[in-house]
Coordinates of all heavy atoms in Angstrom, one line a residue:
R113 N 15.4 45.1 57.5 CA 16.1 46.3 57.6 C 15.3 47.6 57.3 O 15.4 48.6 58.0 CB 17.4 46.3 56.7 CG 18.4 45.2 57.1 CD 19.7 45.4 56.3 NE 20.5 44.2 56.4 CZ 20.7 43.3 55.4 NH1 20.0 43.4 54.3 NH2 21.5 42.2 55.6
L114 N 14.5 47.5 56.2 CA 13.7 48.6 55.8 C 12.6 48.9 56.7 O 12.1 50.0 56.9 CB 13.2 48.4 54.4 CG 14.3 48.4 53.3 CD1 13.7 48.1 51.9 CD2 15.0 49.8 53.2
W115 N 12.1 47.8 57.4 CA 11.0 48.0 58.4 C 11.5 48.8 59.6 O 10.8 49.7 60.1 CB 10.6 46.6 58.9 CG 9.6 46.6 60.0 CD1 9.9 46.4 61.3 CD2 8.2 46.9 59.9 NE1 8.7 46.5 62.1 CE2 7.7 46.9 61.3 CE3 7.3 47.3 58.9 CZ2 6.4 47.1 61.5 CZ3 6.0 47.5 59.2 CH2 5.5 47.4 60.5
I116 N 12.8 48.6 60.0 CA 13.3 49.4 61.1 C 13.5 50.8 60.6 O 13.3 51.7 61.4 CB 14.7 48.8 61.5 CG1 14.5 47.4 62.1 CG2 15.4 49.7 62.5 CD1 15.8 46.6 62.4
M117 N 13.9 51.0 59.4 CA 14.2 52.4 58.9 C 12.9 53.2 58.6 O 12.8 54.3 58.9 CB 15.1 52.3 57.7 CG 16.5 51.8 57.9 SD 17.4 51.4 56.4 CE 17.2 53.0 55.6
A118 N 12.0 52.5 57.9 CA 10.9 53.3 57.3 C 9.5 52.7 57.6 O 8.5 53.2 57.1 CB 11.0 53.3 55.8
G119 N 9.4 51.7 58.4 CA 8.1 51.2 58.8 C 7.3 50.6 57.6 O 7.8 49.8 56.9
W120 N 6.1 51.1 57.5 CA 5.1 50.5 56.5 C 5.4 51.0 55.1 O 4.6 50.6 54.2 CB 3.7 50.9 56.9 CG 3.2 50.0 58.0 CD1 3.2 50.3 59.3 CD2 2.7 48.7 57.9 NE1 2.7 49.3 60.1 CE2 2.4 48.3 59.2 CE3 2.5 47.8 56.8 CZ2 1.8 47.0 59.5 CZ3 2.0 46.6 57.1 CH2 1.6 46.2 58.4
V121 N 6.4 51.8 54.8 CA 6.6 52.3 53.5 C 6.9 51.1 52.5 O 6.2 51.0 51.4 CB 7.9 53.2 53.4 CG1 8.2 53.6 52.0 CG2 7.6 54.5 54.2
L122 N 7.8 50.2 52.8 CA 8.0 49.1 51.9 C 6.8 48.2 51.7 O 6.5 47.8 50.6 CB 9.2 48.3 52.4 CG 9.5 47.0 51.6 CD1 9.9 47.3 50.1 CD2 10.6 46.2 52.2
P123 N 6.1 47.7 52.8 CA 5.0 46.9 52.6 C 3.9 47.6 51.7 O 3.3 46.9 50.9 CB 4.4 46.7 54.0 CG 5.6 46.8 54.8 CD 6.5 47.8 54.2
V124 N 3.7 48.9 51.8 CA 2.7 49.6 51.0 C 3.1 49.6 49.6 O 2.3 49.3 48.7 CB 2.4 51.0 51.6 CG1 1.6 51.8 50.6 CG2 1.8 50.9 52.9
V125 N 4.4 49.9 49.3 CA 4.9 50.0 47.9 C 4.8 48.6 47.3 O 4.4 48.4 46.2 CB 6.3 50.5 47.9 CG1 6.9 50.4 46.5 CG2 6.3 52.0 48.4
A126 N 5.3 47.6 48.1 CA 5.3 46.2 47.5 C 3.9 45.7 47.2 O 3.7 45.1 46.2 CB 6.0 45.3 48.5
T127 N 2.9 46.0 48.1 CA 1.5 45.7 47.8 C 1.0 46.3 46.6 O 0.3 45.8 45.8 CB 0.7 46.0 49.1 OG1 1.2 45.3 50.2 CG2 -0.8 45.5 48.8
A128 N 1.4 47.6 46.4 CA 0.9 48.3 45.2 C 1.5 47.7 44.0 O 0.8 47.6 42.9 CB 1.4 49.8 45.3
V129 N 2.7 47.2 44.0 CA 3.3 46.5 42.9 C 2.6 45.2 42.6 O 2.3 44.9 41.4 CB 4.8 46.3 43.2 CG1 5.4 45.4 42.1 CG2 5.6 47.6 43.2
V130 N 2.4 44.4 43.6 CA 1.7 43.2 43.5 C 0.3 43.4 42.9 O -0.2 42.7 42.0 CB 1.7 42.4 44.8 CG1 0.8 41.1 44.6 CG2 3.1 42.0 45.2
L131 N -0.5 44.3 43.5 CA -1.8 44.6 43.0 C -1.7 45.1 41.5 O -2.6 44.8 40.7 CB -2.5 45.7 43.9 CG -2.9 45.2 45.2 CD1 -3.5 46.3 46.1 CD2 -3.9 44.0 45.1
G132 N -0.7 45.9 41.2 CA -0.6 46.4 39.8 C -0.3 45.3 38.9 O -0.9 45.3 37.8
V133 N 0.5 44.3 39.3 CA 0.8 43.2 38.4 C -0.5 42.4 38.2 O -0.8 41.9 37.1 CB 1.9 42.3 39.1 CG1 2.0 41.0 38.4 CG2 3.2 43.0 39.0
F134 N -1.3 42.2 39.3 CA -2.5 41.5 39.2 C -3.5 42.2 38.3 O -4.2 41.5 37.4 CB -3.1 41.3 40.6 CG -4.3 40.4 40.7 CD1 -4.2 39.1 40.9 CD2 -5.6 41.0 40.6 CE1 -5.3 38.2 40.9 CE2 -6.7 40.1 40.7 CZ -6.6 38.8 40.8
A135 N -3.6 43.5 38.4 CA -4.5 44.2 37.5 C -4.0 44.2 36.0 O -4.8 44.1 35.1 CB -4.6 45.7 38.0
Y136 N -2.7 44.2 35.9 CA -2.1 44.1 34.5 C -2.5 42.8 33.9 O -2.9 42.7 32.7 CB -0.6 44.3 34.6 CG 0.1 43.9 33.3 CD1 0.1 44.7 32.2 CD2 0.8 42.7 33.3 CE1 0.8 44.4 31.1 CE2 1.5 42.4 32.2 CZ 1.5 43.2 31.1 OH 2.2 42.8 29.9
A137 N -2.4 41.7 34.7 CA -2.7 40.4 34.2 C -4.2 40.3 33.8 O -4.6 39.7 32.8 CB -2.3 39.3 35.2
A138 N -5.0 40.9 34.6 CA -6.5 40.9 34.4 C -6.8 41.6 33.1 O -7.8 41.3 32.4 CB -7.2 41.4 35.6
A139 N -6.1 42.7 32.8 CA -6.4 43.5 31.7 C -5.8 43.0 30.4 O -6.3 43.4 29.3 CB -5.9 44.9 31.9
R140 N -4.9 42.1 30.4 CA -4.3 41.5 29.2 C -5.1 40.4 28.6 O -5.0 39.2 29.1 CB -2.8 41.0 29.5 CG -1.8 42.1 29.3 CD -0.4 41.5 29.3 NE -0.2 40.6 28.2 CZ 0.9 39.9 27.9 NH1 1.9 40.0 28.8 NH2 1.0 39.1 26.9
R141 N -5.9 40.7 27.6 CA -6.8 39.7 27.0 C -6.0 38.7 26.2 O -6.5 37.6 25.8 CB -7.9 40.3 26.2 CG -8.8 41.2 27.1 CD -10.0 41.7 26.3 NE -10.8 42.6 27.2 CZ -11.8 42.1 28.0 NH1 -11.9 40.8 28.1 NH2 -12.5 42.9 28.7
D142 N -4.8 39.1 25.7 CA -4.0 38.2 24.9 C -3.2 37.2 25.7 O -2.5 36.4 25.1 CB -3.0 39.1 24.0 CG -2.0 39.8 24.9 OD1 -2.4 40.5 25.8 OD2 -0.8 39.6 24.6
L143 N -3.2 37.3 27.0 CA -2.4 36.5 27.9 C -3.1 35.1 28.1 O -4.1 35.0 28.7 CB -2.3 37.2 29.3 CG -1.3 36.5 30.3 CD1 0.1 36.5 29.8 CD2 -1.4 37.2 31.6

């Protein structure tokens, strides 16, 4: 639905979230 409405907006935001989570995990030395 969002692809029809806004195109690449959701994929870009979702990828930023996933990359942010990955970077957060890499930075957490106590994990």
Side-chain angles (χ1 to χ4, degrees):
R113 295 192 193 103
L114 293 176
W115 173 258
I116 295 174
M117 294 169 54
W120 284 98
V121 173
L122 174 62
V124 169
V125 172
T127 304
V129 171
V130 172
L131 290 176
V133 168
F134 188 85
Y136 167 76
R140 270 193 65 181
R141 299 187 178 276
D142 65 305
L143 187 64

